[in-house]
Amino acid sequence: AILLESGIVAEPTGTPLVYDPALQQPERWARDFDLAGAFKASALWYYRAQAQRLGMDAETRHVRQLGYGNMDTSGGLHGPQGPFWVDGSLRISADEQVQFLQKLHTGQLGLSARTTALTRDIMRVEETPRWRLYAKTGACRPRGEQTSNWYAGYVEKADATYYFALQIGADEYGRAFTE
């Protein structure tokens, strides 16, 4: 949402960001991505590169405007454990995740209607005639703690929306989603 709202990325399926092999990313990330593809793959290199284009001051401003979790961006973009959303400085509880998703779903985050609609489109994982699932995986690895792996989102069914936030701890980064 921040990339779309700021204008750093104009369209979710626009011009891809070219992958630099010097980044030596895992095979699933070692390719060019547009925003929609990076979102689905959780391609960290893409988000870090776009955040650097936006700048740390703007990142901090947007995180605070969105009221996301503890709003702590002190880890910056170049920390040894990763950017602030991976290094554990930015934290959010499951209840806060659900509240954030409710605000996104109902258009109460203070984002433009365009950004809200595009973000929801990117989040759509599966759709049937009876329901639609919108979700995102995520992970962070605070120093000295277990990795925190997330699956958060919501299901629209008939006239109701059901929100969820699942957090799974693991000793190794990403392990909970690979087994």
Side-chain angles (χ1 to χ4, degrees), residues 2-58:
I2 291 173
L3 297 176
L4 291 166
E5 190 74 4
S6 67
I8 288 293
V9 175
E11 296 292 332
T13 56
T15 305
L17 193 58
V18 176
Y19 174 71
D20 178 359
L23 294 173
Q24 299 180 344
Q25 295 293 292
E27 185 177 334
R28 68 184 184 279
W29 291 349
R31 61 185 177 90
D32 300 351
F33 280 105
D34 60 17
L35 178 59
F39 185 91
K40 297 216 182 307
S42 293
L44 180 59
W45 76 264
Y46 175 92
Y47 286 104
R48 182 181 274 176
Q50 297 293 29
Q52 289 169 354
R53 288 182 59 214
L54 181 58
M56 197 58 226
D57 289 344

Side-chain angles (χ1 to χ4, degrees), residues 116-130:
T116 299
L118 291 173
T119 301
R120 289 185 56 184
D121 286 346
I122 294 168
M123 287 180 65
R124 189 172 37 248
V125 175
E126 191 172 344
E127 185 171 356
T128 75
R130 294 184 19 212

Side-chain angles (χ1 to χ4, degrees), residues 10 16 21 31 48 61 73-75 82 92 100 106-107 113 121 138 143 161 170:
R31 61 185 177 90
R48 182 181 274 176
R61 186 175 61 252
T73 60
S74 63
I92 192 164
F100 182 83
T106 59
D121 286 346
R143 184 181 299 272
T161 303

